[in-house]
Each structure stands twice: as C-alpha cells, then as structure tokens.
Amino acid sequence: MAKEVSPGVLALRKVVDDVHADARKAKAEGKLVGWSSSKFPCELAAAFDLDVMYPENQAAGIAANRDGEIMCQAAEDLGFDNDICGYARISLAYAAGKRAARKFDPETLEYIIDPNSGKPLKDENGKVIIGEDGKPVKDPKTQQPYTVLVDIHEIEALPDGALKDKYWESIKPYRQMRIPQPDFVLCCNNICNCMTKWYENIARMCNIPLIMIDIPYNNTVEVHDSNVAYVRAQFDAAIKQLEELTGKKFDEKKFEQACANANRTASAWLRVCDYLQYKPAPYSGFDLFNHMADIVTARAKVQAAEAFELLEKDLEIAIKEGTTTTPFPEKYRVMFEGIPCWPKLPDLFKPLKANGVNVTAVVYAPAFGFVYEDLDGMARAYYKAPNSVCIEQGVDWREGICRDNKVDGVLVHYNRSCKPWSGYMAEMQRRFTADLGIPCAGFDGDQADPRNFNAAQYETRVQGLVEAMEQNAMNKEG
Amino acid sequence: MSIETMMKEFQAIAYNPNKQLADFKAQGKKVIGVLPYYAPEELVYAAGMVPMGMWGSNNKTISRAKEYCATFYCTIAQLALEMLLDGTMDQLDGVITPTICDTLRPMSQNFRVAIGDKIPTIFLAHPQNRFASWGLQFCIDQYTNVRKMLDQISGHEMTDEDIRNAIKVYNASRAARREFVKLANDHCDVVTPTLRSAVLKASYFMLKDEYTAKLVALNEELKKLPVCDWKGVKVVTSGIIVDNPKLLAIFEENNIAIAADDVAHESRSFRVDAAEDGDPMMALAKQFADVDYEVLLYDPKSSENRRGEFVANMVKESGAQGLILFMQQFCDPEEMEYPYLKKALDAEGIPHIKLGVDQQMRDFGQASTAIQAFADVL
C-alpha cells in the first residue's frame, strides 16, 4: 500500500523535531541544556523550563542512522570495553566530542563519495540497471560520502576559516548527531545501574553537575512505603539542586502543569498502544518503536499529548475503514520482547513480513505508561520501570498485553547491551509458554552495535517460531 | 606453629569451603550463603549463624545455570547459581542476594526462582544515594528486612546488643586483615601471592572471631621477621576477584609480589569499619554510606576522578612499580571505570596492564606471557 503518513504521525514527528530545535536554540542563546536518562522524572526539569536531551533516544537514532558502529568503536578507543551497553558507548563517545562526519578533501573541500553507497539506479520501467561489470549501477543522487570520525575539540582548536567551517558542516546533519553538549546531567537508574556510571563518566568528561535519583531494584509487585519515602526525599533533593543550578525557585504551578501533561501523554500513549488489540491491528508494533522518541523526549509537553490524541483519532478512522499501516496481510501476531536492534530494523522486519507476522505487542507500552495522581504516586510510577521490577510483575505485564493483544507467539531479543533486561528472559519464556500456551523464540542481538546481530540466525529463529505457531493453530483447529 | 604451617591452614580452608560447610552443619550450626556485594554479614553473625561467601568457583563449569542465563553474564554470578542448582549448596539455610549491579538485579530473581522452596532467599537492595538521612533510613529499612528474615531462619530474635557485639568482632577482623595486607607487603618473600590470597579468602568460610584469632597470631609472627629486601618487582592488583592459584602462580614464577590490592573480594571489602556504639542498625547503614572509591557505588563528586586518583596513590604509597588489572569479563562497573583509572595511572607515570579473566578460564598461557612481559618492563 502507498506510504501515506497520518496527521497524528506527522504531529508526533514535529514534536520531536521541535524539542531538538529548542535545545539547539537554547544552547546558542547561552541557556543551560541538560542530558537526562529516559526515565528520569522529566516533570522536575520541566518545572524549571529546562531544555533536556535524552542520550538513550539519541543513541537509538544514531544507531538507526547506521553510525552505531563507528561511535561504539570511538568509545572503545577511549578505553570503554565492547561489552558495555551500546547506548552508553555511543553516548560516551559523543560526550567526549566524537562525531560521525562526512569525509571531504581538505584541499578542495569536496565530499568524497563512497562508491559502495546508494541505491541501485532503475530505468523508466522500474528495472535495476546493470553496469558493464555485471553489478547494479548506483543512483548517484542516493550516494553518500564516506563516514569518518571527527572530534569537536580538535575542530574548535583549528584556526578560523573555510577548513574549520567545512569540518563543522561535515558532521552528519541528522538531529541526533547535532545535539548540544550538556551543562548538567539528570540520572535515574531505575532501568539499570550502568546508567549511574555512564552519567558519572559524562559528568567527569564535561566537568558538570550530576543530579541523581536512585531507584533500587524491587523484589515485590507492590512498592513499599519505605521505597516511596526514599524516592520522594530524592525528588526534594533534586529540586534543591535544580534551584541552585538555575538560580530559580521551584515553580509549583509549572510542575503541576508538567505532571498533568505527562499523565495526559502517558494515558494517550497507552490508548494508542491498545489499538494493537484489534485484529487485524491498524498498525505494527514497529510503528510504536518510532513513536518512542516522543514519549521519551516530550512526555511532559502538551504538544506530545495532543499529537498522541491526534494519532488516536487516525487509528479510530483506520479501524472504521479497515485499513492498516502494516504492509502485508496479518497471519500471525507476536509480542516483540526487548529493545529493537536499531541498526538492523530492515533485517528484523524482512522475515516477519515474509511470513505475515505482525508485531502487535511490545513491552514499551507499559514501560512508559507513567500514570499517577500525586507525588507518592509519581514515586511509585517511576519505581515501575521495565528493569526495576520483580519477575512476577514483569511476567504479569507481558502476559497481560499478550492476552489483550491476542498474540500467537513471542520473539525474544537477547540484547547484548542490556544485562538487566535479558537476565531473566529464559525463565520468563518458560512462563509465557506454560501460562499462555504460546511458543517463544529467542535470538541474539544488540540495540545499537550492529556487530552483535546475525541476520541468518534471526531468520532461522523466526522461521522456527512461525512453524511452532502454525502447529499451534492446527492443533487448535484440529 | 611455623608461619608456613599457619598459612597452609588458611589455604586448606580457602580451598575446601565444602568441608567447612559440612563441618558447620555437623556442629548443628545454621549457615547463610552471602553473595557479593556489601551484605551486612554482621547480622548473620549476630543471629548466631555462619555467613559463608559465595563468589563463584574456580573449579566448576557452568551447565545448569545456562537454563537461566545468556552467555554474557559474569561467571561469578553464574557459578553461584550453578552451585545452588547442582547440590553443592543444599545444606545452606538461606542466601542473601544483593542487587547492586546489573547482573545481580535479574540474578536475584533467578536465584529465588531456581532454588524455590529449598532454600530461603533474602533480598537486599542497597541505596546509591546513601549519605543523607533518608538514604541512611532506606538502608536501615532494607537491613531490617534482612534482620527479620534471619530471625525467622535462626528461630530467635537477635538483639541490638548481639549486633553491637558482631560489629566489634567484624571491626577486629577487618583491622587484622588490613594489618595482614601491610605485613604481606613487608614480608612478600614469605607471604607469596598465592598464600596472601588464601589467607584473605579463608575469611569468607570461617566464623570471624575464629578467623581473626588465627590471623592475629599469624600477624604477630610476621612482625617478628625482618622486613624483606625484595629483589623482584611489586605490583598492586585490581579487579573483582583474584584468587585463582594458577593465575597467582604466574606472579611467583616471575618474582612479582603484591604490595597492595584494589580487589573487591579483598581490600575493598574491609576498608571501612562500623561504629561500635549507638544504634547498631544505623552504624551498619553509615558503614555502607562510608564505602568510597568504589566501582559499584555512586560518587556524588563524580566530576572529579577520585577513584582513579585513590588507586594511583595506593600504588605509590605501597611501593609498587605498577598495577595489574584483572578485568572480570562482562563486569560493566569495572569496565566503565577503566578509562579514568587509566587516566589517573598515566598521569602519575604508573605502568599497568589489563587482563581479561573469568572463572571458567583454565588456560593461563596468554596471561602468563603478558604478566612476564609486564614484569620485565617494570
């Protein structure tokens, strides 16, 4: 079907573009710009009108733009081991001043095109043109310069002039490679403890303050009052630190508004996620991955709430008209467990499409559904991040969306970058099969480092899952 | 008793934790397994039970634990799970499962699920924001949960006085170990790296009062010896655990002595004492808050390179010529702190090497070549 982008999706794209543009503008005007972990309570920074960027979202974007490997390697050259989370490596390389850039000739200042880049050139009938060497001819319009690594500190040290300007220009132009350097960092380790050391490293590299909200791992489904008291006290401490940082008083009204917006966004997000319950689904879970940038970077903004509400309306129409953005007929429905392999989205999608497998459930639905009524509720909500909850809560969330979204199987990403997430998946897989009677298949991959993904293994695992789902369906019919 | 005999006794204990466990059980004692890191062992002692450290194994192979773990997890945690699954730990009366790193977080769930009703697990989540009153209070709340569960297992309630007494016993033990580490440097001709490790490792498998009495006796004998005129080289070791006899033998083969250590299983675990008066639960929480220069813990002065400088200083003060970092495979916290440790060492002109290790390693040929080459340049 034609790729028609709905008004809601367009609005969501604009929200994220605006967040980045605002941060760049703030930096240019000499205002403070912070970097924050994705599940730090953004409501606190919003109360101070602070512009904040999100390294996890940035790293995902850099990886999806195929620069994950060069940035990961840059971090490794700084001494960070290749076992460390790919997001952290990309972010640490970026914080150190490393950037993926387009190669150019320093004499002529012309970009040097990589002959292997670009899409095949097609004739007027849409047929790929084959060159004299028997290989497809590349469309010159789609060809790109070689990617090289540059260092902003080295560029800054160059004498002013055309060469320096060209270096600045050569930095890849997409928004995630252009976010401003941080003036402070906001760290909440509810999703992992790697976050703690990652942000400490940024603070050290950039010599900037770090505001830390520690949310220890929880072994029970309920969040005890003691845990709430600890997190509440940290909210108060963070507010004091932000007051010192900004020289402003905490604005309660702005905070309340940010909370109201965040709740509204989270609720709309959850309702959008719920549209995956329809059979066939009006969109694919892969589309939800695309909207994560909004829920991460803008959930305390009213524009994000409005954009998700607009998307809801689009989906309502899609249901009425029986349309879907999934570009194939939905034969099977699965839950995709884990963070996607951002550098390999086309490889992830290919065997799913070939087998009519639609992703109708992703764990990110509950993961960002922070809905609360008061400050204690807010502390409880932030206590329930995907990797801070016990196995019973984790299984309950997933089995809930598997049931509601009527999945036939589960595809589990054993993510080399995420030890806390992958660490209890084997037991979860056993429980999904025992409790729901559905097959599960696991594959090895990585959220940002393409070197840790093997397309052949993935395809085999998807094939195995499809066969098991087929057998399950036959058994049910029989 | 000769110094060598005394150290061999520690070695026999360090290498045979199974026998220790069986002996304690034969004496009618209850035994609690204690996983890394920072569990308040004092509470186990105060409950009249025996805490035994569970820091993996150099002799086991991961097999059953594979049903719970992907390959990219620290072998210490995987082998601890292996031993809970293969029957090695069946005699334990409980296991404390701290969750300060990203492997231990989900592993706390695997431990609990895998051993089911067989052995109770005692969950522990430490606070990272541990300094202010509310951080201390959260730590006390967590320790109180541990205390209550230990009471259930022991069958009686420990008193504050029991805990105060345990703190005294543990402070004495920590002091003795700190002194031993210094003496081992002065007498590195007698206290070889292998024996040094064994003496410290034995502390994980003995009741601390008995251990301390033996160690104080050893220290007294060591003090009588003249400070050795060491002709070889001296290094500081760094990492999570450095206890493999085959690895340590390489030090001896190359005349390398250990002047001091920045090892989690060794000195990092006994740097800080707890107050012996006042509320003992607060004393334990404060002790945890005072733990510093740690790869696993939040440092509010993170824009400075305090840990790197601390370790570099340790190398200088101990008289070592370099540092050998044993990088535990898949250990994010150690890996995350390496670039700034390197920076601090480089700034002081201290040579170092980084060697990847895990507890499944059986062939140390590469390590041997690297250590030998390093000793040659020092």
Side-chain angles (χ1 to χ4, degrees):
Chain A
M1 62 181 283
K3 276 187 182 173
E4 201 176 299
V5 181
S6 77
V9 171
L10 286 174
L12 285 165
R13 284 184 192 165
K14 185 178 180 314
V15 169
V16 179
D17 283 340
D18 288 350
V19 168
H20 282 77
D22 289 348
R24 290 193 299 269
K25 185 167 172 275
K27 188 75 177 184
E29 289 170 357
K31 292 181 190 160
L32 296 174
V33 174
W35 286 6
S36 170
S37 57
S38 66
K39 293 179 192 73
F40 185 94
C42 58
E43 297 86 341
L44 297 178
F48 290 90
D49 285 330
L50 284 164
D51 285 282
V52 176
M53 296 274 87
Y54 295 84
E56 291 151 76
N57 181 254
Q58 178 197 23
I62 287 173
N65 277 289
R66 311 283 187 275
D67 288 327
E69 189 169 341
I70 196 171
M71 292 297 277
C72 282
Q73 279 172 340
E76 288 155 30
D77 290 343
L78 293 168
F80 293 101
D81 199 283
N82 68 4
D83 284 329
I84 294 170
C85 161
Y87 281 3
R89 272 179 289 153
I90 290 172
S91 168
L92 289 163
Y94 194 95
K98 306 297 176 191
R99 300 287 186 274
R102 294 160 288 181
K103 189 176 183 180
F104 64 90
D105 182 332
E107 299 292 324
T108 64
L109 304 185
E110 293 290 328
Y111 287 120
I112 303 171
I113 298 296
D114 175 359
N116 294 320
S117 68
K119 292 177 182 167
L121 188 65
K122 292 178 181 172
D123 62 19
E124 63 272 19
N125 301 318
K127 210 175 149 196
V128 173
I129 299 171
I130 303 295
E132 285 174 6
D133 58 357
K135 291 178 183 168
V137 175
K138 294 289 174 88
D139 180 352
K141 282 184 212 151
T142 62
Q143 289 197 292
Q144 296 292 324
Y146 287 101
T147 295
V148 290
L149 198 72
V150 296
D151 186 308
I152 57 167
H153 305 299
E154 288 171 14
I155 300 175
E156 269 161 14
L158 289 173
D160 288 343
L163 182 66
K164 186 175 188 173
D165 293 345
K166 186 68 187 181
Y167 267 114
W168 284 125
E169 185 208 278
S170 75
I171 293 171
K172 298 267 183 105
Y174 59 88
R175 64 171 184 252
Q176 294 92 344
M177 200 52 82
R178 295 276 181 161
I179 77 166
Q181 289 290 96
D183 300 300
F184 62 95
V185 268
L186 307 173
C187 179
C188 180
N189 61 359
N190 44 7
I191 54 172
C192 62
N193 205 42
C194 173
M195 199 66 81
T196 312
K197 290 291 153 187
W198 169 1
Y199 277 65
E200 279 189 33
N201 267 286
I202 297 176
R204 220 173 283 155
M205 279 176 183
C206 304
N207 192 21
I208 53 174
L210 183 158
I211 296 174
M212 174 79 192
I213 291 187
D214 170 48
I215 299 198
Y217 191 74
N218 195 13
N219 194 41
T220 54
V221 172
E222 66 276 15
V223 182
H224 292 291
D225 291 345
S226 158
N227 304 49
V228 171
Y230 175 51
V231 175
R232 274 292 307 272
Q234 292 183 82
F235 287 169
D236 293 340
I239 288 168
K240 261 194 196 147
Q241 285 175 281
L242 285 166
E243 284 182 336
E244 285 165 21
L245 181 78
T246 58
K248 288 185 194 171
K249 286 299 285 176
F250 177 63
D251 188 327
E252 212 147 316
K253 274 197 178 148
K254 278 186 183 159
F255 175 69
E256 281 166 13
Q257 187 57 52
C259 290
N261 293 344
N263 269 286
R264 191 175 150 193
T265 306
S267 302
W269 161 260
L270 287 172
R271 289 195 302 275
V272 163
C273 294
D274 283 348
Y275 273 92
L276 284 174
Q277 293 172 8
Y278 284 96
K279 212 170 172 175
Y283 68 101
S284 149
F286 274 63
D287 293 343
L288 265 190
F289 291 146
N290 292 331
H291 305 325
M292 276 175 52
D294 291 86
I295 197 78
V296 171
T297 66
R299 65 179 181 277
K301 291 186 185 294
V302 71
Q303 293 87 345
E306 288 168 355
F308 276 117
E309 286 163 2
L310 194 56
L311 181 60
E312 259 188 280
K313 285 181 189 158
D314 300 343
L315 293 170
E316 187 60 44
I317 295 167
I319 292 298
K320 275 184 195 151
E321 296 178 350
T323 58
T324 176
T325 55
T326 311
F328 55 83
E330 181 182 291
K331 197 172 169 197
Y332 298 106
R333 298 159 65 87
V334 298
M335 175 169 80
F336 187 95
E337 170 68 56
I339 303 171
C341 313
W342 294 110
K344 297 287 180 184
L345 282 180
D347 295 271
L348 282 189
F349 201 60
K350 202 175 115 195
L352 299 179
K353 184 180 174 187
N355 291 288
V357 179
N358 195 17
V359 172
T360 62
V362 294
V363 185
Y364 275 115
F368 280 98
F370 297 125
V371 180
Y372 53 87
E373 287 182 353
D374 53 22
L375 269 171
D376 277 6
M378 183 168 143
R380 282 202 158 82
Y382 279 98
Y383 226 106
K384 292 213 168 183
N387 300 336
S388 63
V389 297
C390 64
I391 190 162
E392 289 78 11
Q393 176 74 80
V395 168
D396 185 60
W397 273 352
R398 290 161 171 90
E399 291 188 349
I401 53 173
C402 282
R403 283 195 189 95
D404 293 345
N405 297 14
K406 305 165 193 71
V407 310
D408 308 302
V410 181
L411 194 53
V412 179
H413 177 198
Y414 283 86
N415 181 354
R416 272 297 292 266
S417 270
C418 198
K419 292 186 179 78
W421 196 316
S422 301
Y424 48 14
M425 283 320 305
E427 174 63 15
M428 281 208 199
Q429 270 188 237
R430 286 190 282 274
R431 293 190 181 194
F432 298 154
T433 300
D435 297 345
L436 306 171
I438 54 173
C440 302
F443 69 95
D444 301 313
D446 195 288
Q447 64 202 30
D449 189 338
R451 294 168 292 180
N452 293 329
F453 175 79
N454 180 323
Q457 187 221 43
Y458 172 72
E459 280 184 33
T460 311
R461 301 291 166 86
V462 171
Q463 200 54 49
L465 180 65
V466 169
E467 282 165 21
M469 290 191 295
E470 212 162 36
Q471 188 62 48
N472 234 7
M474 276 163 58
N475 293 347
K476 274 182 197 164
E477 282 168 18
Chain B
M1 202 188 290
S2 76
I3 287 175
E4 196 188 347
T5 310
M6 291 166 103
M7 289 198 288
K8 291 282 179 195
E9 279 188 12
F10 281 117
Q11 195 172 29
I13 291 165
Y15 293 176
N16 295 290
N18 273 344
K19 182 179 178 303
Q20 289 297 103
L21 175 57
D23 287 353
F24 284 129
K25 294 302 290 187
Q27 292 163 26
K29 290 194 166 81
K30 289 188 173 172
V31 182
I32 303 294
V34 183
L35 284 149
Y37 303 87
Y38 318 119
E41 263 193 36
E42 287 87 340
L43 294 178
V44 181
Y45 186 93
M49 299 190 286
V50 185
M52 283 188 77
M54 289 173 66
W55 290 64
S57 163
N58 290 315
N59 309 312
K60 294 262 177 188
T61 304
I62 297 164
S63 165
R64 292 168 175 86
K66 284 182 185 164
E67 287 181 26
Y68 292 88
C69 298
T71 51
F72 49 93
Y73 288 83
C74 149
T75 47
I76 299 169
Q78 289 203 60
L79 284 160
L81 178 58
E82 186 70 31
M83 289 188 288
L84 285 166
L85 291 167
D86 74 3
T88 308
M89 303 287 188
D90 276 2
Q91 291 197 76
L92 290 180
D93 297 279
V95 180
I96 302 179
T97 65
T99 50
I100 201 77
C101 79
D102 283 345
T103 289
L104 291 174
R105 283 162 80 131
M107 285 300 272
S108 69
Q109 306 302 289
N110 290 331
F111 290 130
R112 173 159 63 78
V113 168
I115 55 179
D117 299 329
K118 201 164 72 175
I119 306 170
T121 47
I122 303 170
F123 177 85
L124 174 58
H126 282 98
Q128 289 280 14
N129 250 328
R130 58 200 186 278
F131 314 98
S133 58
W134 33 268
L136 292 167
Q137 185 57 51
F138 181 75
C139 194
I140 290 171
D141 292 345
Q142 291 293 305
Y143 284 3
T144 303
N145 293 340
V146 172
R147 178 178 177 170
K148 282 180 189 161
M149 289 210 53
L150 289 169
D151 283 345
Q152 277 176 25
I153 294 168
S154 74
H156 62 86
E157 277 188 23
M158 68 182 93
T159 64
D160 281 0
E161 204 45 46
D162 292 333
I163 303 171
R164 261 182 226 113
N165 176 48
I167 288 173
K168 281 180 192 152
V169 168
Y170 270 71
N171 281 349
S173 171
R174 284 185 278 261
R177 279 178 282 174
R178 290 193 293 265
E179 182 168 40
F180 170 74
V181 163
K182 281 190 184 143
L183 289 165
N185 186 13
D186 289 345
H187 307 289
C188 58
D189 50 343
V190 178
V191 188
T192 63
T194 312
L195 291 170
R196 180 187 184 278
S197 159
V199 169
L200 294 173
K201 188 178 173 70
S203 71
Y204 286 93
F205 308 135
M206 294 174 76
L207 273 169
K208 285 296 182 296
D209 48 351
E210 291 168 14
Y211 173 79
T212 308
K214 275 177 94 76
L215 185 58
V216 167
L218 172 63
N219 286 347
E220 290 309 314
E221 291 304 313
L222 286 170
K223 278 184 215 168
K224 291 176 192 164
L225 297 175
V227 172
C228 89
D229 180 20
W230 182 246
K231 301 293 183 200
V233 295
K234 283 189 175 184
V235 298
V236 164
T237 49
S238 181
I240 296 293
I241 185 165
V242 186
D243 69 340
N244 193 309
K246 283 185 188 164
L247 191 62
L248 292 162
I250 300 168
F251 282 64
E252 283 147 45
E253 287 157 14
N254 292 287
N255 282 326
I256 303 171
I258 297 175
D261 75 85
D262 166 53
V263 173
H265 182 248
E266 298 178 0
S267 290
R268 283 188 211 163
S269 72
F270 49 78
R271 276 183 200 146
V272 182
D273 289 334
E276 294 181 4
D277 49 9
D279 175 358
M281 297 300 279
M282 177 58 92
L284 290 173
K286 275 193 171 149
Q287 180 205 23
F288 175 66
D290 289 342
V291 176
D292 202 354
Y293 314 113
E294 250 296 355
V295 295
L296 287 145
L297 300 181
Y298 168 55
D299 180 355
K301 291 180 184 158
S302 48
S303 58
E304 301 167 28
N305 189 14
R306 295 175 64 254
R307 182 187 121 74
E309 287 162 11
F310 172 81
V311 176
N313 202 37
M314 181 196 293
V315 177
K316 283 196 291 182
E317 285 187 352
S318 66
Q321 287 102 48
L323 177 139
I324 301 183
L325 171 59
F326 292 95
M327 182 60 81
Q328 192 71 34
Q329 203 185 5
F330 306 124
C331 181
D332 297 346
E334 285 276 315
E335 290 168 353
M336 284 295 252
E337 286 297 294
Y338 172 65
Y340 275 90
L341 173 61
K342 180 179 185 302
K343 191 179 176 188
L345 293 171
D346 289 351
E348 294 294 337
I350 298 167
H352 78 281
I353 50 167
K354 181 176 76 148
L355 297 172
V357 288
D358 70 60
Q359 290 187 326
Q360 298 265 272
M361 264 175 93
R362 298 291 180 265
D363 176 10
F364 293 95
Q366 245 181 336
S368 176
T369 310
I371 292 171
Q372 192 180 357
F374 185 60
D376 287 346
V377 300
L378 289 182

